[in-house]
Amino acid sequence: MKSRTPHELEAIWKEKDIVDGKIADTMVIIMRTNGCAWARSGGCTMCGYHSASLRNVTSEDLLKQLDQALLHYNGEPFVKIYTSGSFLDKDEIPAKVRKDIFESFSECKRILFESRPEFITEETISNLPTSTTIALGLESCNPLVIEKSIRKGFTPTQCQLAGKLIKESNLSVRSYLLLKPLFLQERAAIKDTITSAKFADSFSDEISINPINVQKGTMLERIWRKGDYRTPWIWSLIEVMKRLSGTVTARLMTSPSGGGSQRGIHNCGKCDEAVLNALVQFSHSQDPRNLDITCECIEEWKNYMTSEIMLGTTADLDREFKSELTIGGRNGLRY
């Protein structure tokens, strides 16, 4: 196994996103830093990004990572810079390094990074270029979900206030929402995400809905391995987008990690790729007609939600039972 050194990026790749309303080339950088401050206090139930952290990463190491990124940069108009925590945390990215990063990508039309709300102050964002988008991991507007299911370490109100401060500074906000946190049934998860998107709309330019991806070394993974949690159906994400389309002013988007796998959002397996592609098309176009897609497993999804309520469980029913049950007439669901 290759050793991980502090002067090398964790990952770098190219993808597509939106710039000035059009699909554009985007470079994504994941930097190795000293790690998320909240992770050192326990962290979130679903986050495994602590694996991208190292100890004693210096400013010199970070600048070498920047040099590596610049070798791959081909003038993409959008650059996303991720760490395992908060870009505005000086213990992860010192102010001088942040300045060098922004100067290196000064020609970009958009630069995006993530930060927890406690690091978003008038001081930390006062000199940021207007091309900046700050991503906020709101996840849910329900304080109980934030505290018990996600263990986020801040409140929805703190995230809302940070978003408003960003907007007042003429910067952009991308809010992340988590589809189906721990302990939520599928139908409740859909409702929570829709409610949370409407809460986030007033301070967000974009709302990114992220279905859970089971990451290694997390509390979520331990529960998932025991069969007490199923990652969401792709139909649930389709339902969220359909019900939100036209009701919020922010751009709706999604880019599921691990889509089509057991650790990620999935349907029956036969339709996964086509349904995920429909969601990508919708994220770019905002045209709800892109979501007009179906498969016979949509009835299994509906029956699954009914079964969860009837049995009063959030366990993975597909793994819990091996026999085939019939619910609601001839619509069969294999558990």
Side-chain angles (χ1 to χ4, degrees), residues 173-335:
V173 176
R174 176 178 289 186
S175 290
Y176 291 140
L177 301 179
L178 190 66
L179 177 60
K180 203 179 180 185
L182 273 174
F183 316 128
L184 267 67
Q185 293 181 343
E186 200 89 10
R187 197 182 302 276
I190 292 169
K191 181 179 179 181
D192 179 69
T193 301
I194 291 170
T195 302
S196 299
K198 293 180 178 179
F199 171 82
D201 191 39
S202 65
F203 58 87
S204 304
D205 298 279
E206 298 168 314
I207 296 173
S208 179
I209 298 172
N210 303 323
I212 276 205
N213 174 40
V214 180
Q215 298 177 359
K216 293 182 179 180
T218 61
M219 176 181 172
L220 172 67
E221 186 189 43
R222 294 195 297 273
I223 293 173
W224 171 77
R225 284 190 178 278
K226 292 193 298 182
D228 290 335
Y229 175 85
R230 185 203 190 277
T231 52
W233 291 70
I234 311 176
W235 296 125
S236 295
L237 184 52
I238 289 280
E239 181 69 10
V240 167
M241 293 303 198
K242 282 182 175 180
R243 288 166 60 178
L244 283 175
S245 180
T247 69
V248 294
T249 58
R251 181 172 79 91
L252 296 168
M253 57 179 295
T254 186
S255 182
S257 298
S261 70
Q262 291 300 305
R263 283 179 175 265
I265 191 168
H266 63 280
N267 285 342
C268 66
K270 297 178 182 178
C271 68
D272 290 21
E273 184 177 359
V275 184
L276 288 168
N277 285 339
L279 285 161
V280 170
Q281 292 171 9
F282 172 76
S283 296
H284 291 159
S285 71
Q286 302 296 284
D287 186 344
R289 291 175 295 183
N290 293 138
L291 304 174
D292 291 337
I293 188 168
T294 190
C295 174
E296 60 185 13
C297 75
I298 199 166
E299 293 301 322
E300 294 185 12
W301 164 66
K302 293 176 181 178
N303 290 337
Y304 191 97
M305 291 191 292
T306 300
S307 299
E308 279 189 317
I309 294 171
M310 290 173 61
L311 296 172
T313 184
T314 60
D316 187 344
L317 300 180
D318 288 336
R319 285 194 281 172
E320 188 73 18
F321 299 102
K322 300 301 181 183
S323 61
E324 185 171 301
L325 302 179
T326 301
I327 300 176
R330 59 191 180 131
N331 295 322
L333 172 59
R334 184 175 297 280
Y335 289 102

Side-chain angles (χ1 to χ4, degrees), residues 63-265:
L63 291 173
K64 288 180 180 178
Q65 292 182 45
L66 174 59
D67 289 339
Q68 183 185 350
L70 291 171
L71 289 175
H72 291 79
Y73 182 60
N74 292 317
E76 287 83 7
F78 194 175
V79 173
K80 301 175 185 177
I81 306 165
Y82 297 120
T83 71
S84 59
S86 297
F87 188 81
L88 293 178
D89 180 357
K90 62 180 176 59
D91 291 332
E92 283 199 75
I93 307 289
K96 176 61 169 63
V97 175
R98 289 202 299 267
K99 184 174 181 292
D100 288 345
I101 290 172
F102 286 122
E103 288 178 352
S104 297
F105 296 112
S106 60
E107 299 301 316
C108 287
K109 290 187 176 181
R110 287 192 73 182
I111 297 178
L112 179 143
F113 61 78
E114 298 176 339
S115 180
R116 289 174 60 86
E118 59 262 39
F119 300 111
I120 297 170
T121 65
E122 290 184 3
E123 180 182 1
T124 58
I125 69 174
S126 61
N127 295 315
L128 296 179
T130 56
S131 58
T132 300
T133 297
I134 301 179
L136 299 172
L138 169 62
E139 317 301 8
S140 172
C141 70
N142 186 321
L144 191 61
V145 170
I146 287 287
E147 180 185 0
K148 302 297 184 181
S149 297
I150 304 174
R151 203 169 62 196
K152 195 72 184 184
F154 57 72
T155 67
T157 299
Q158 286 175 285
C159 211
Q160 181 185 46
L161 291 173
K164 289 181 176 179
L165 178 60
I166 295 167
K167 296 284 287 180
E168 289 169 359
S169 300
N170 295 317
L171 306 175
S172 299
V173 176
R174 176 178 289 186
S175 290
Y176 291 140
L177 301 179
L178 190 66
L179 177 60
K180 203 179 180 185
L182 273 174
F183 316 128
L184 267 67
Q185 293 181 343
E186 200 89 10
R187 197 182 302 276
I190 292 169
K191 181 179 179 181
D192 179 69
T193 301
I194 291 170
T195 302
S196 299
K198 293 180 178 179
F199 171 82
D201 191 39
S202 65
F203 58 87
S204 304
D205 298 279
E206 298 168 314
I207 296 173
S208 179
I209 298 172
N210 303 323
I212 276 205
N213 174 40
V214 180
Q215 298 177 359
K216 293 182 179 180
T218 61
M219 176 181 172
L220 172 67
E221 186 189 43
R222 294 195 297 273
I223 293 173
W224 171 77
R225 284 190 178 278
K226 292 193 298 182
D228 290 335
Y229 175 85
R230 185 203 190 277
T231 52
W233 291 70
I234 311 176
W235 296 125
S236 295
L237 184 52
I238 289 280
E239 181 69 10
V240 167
M241 293 303 198
K242 282 182 175 180
R243 288 166 60 178
L244 283 175
S245 180
T247 69
V248 294
T249 58
R251 181 172 79 91
L252 296 168
M253 57 179 295
T254 186
S255 182
S257 298
S261 70
Q262 291 300 305
R263 283 179 175 265
I265 191 168

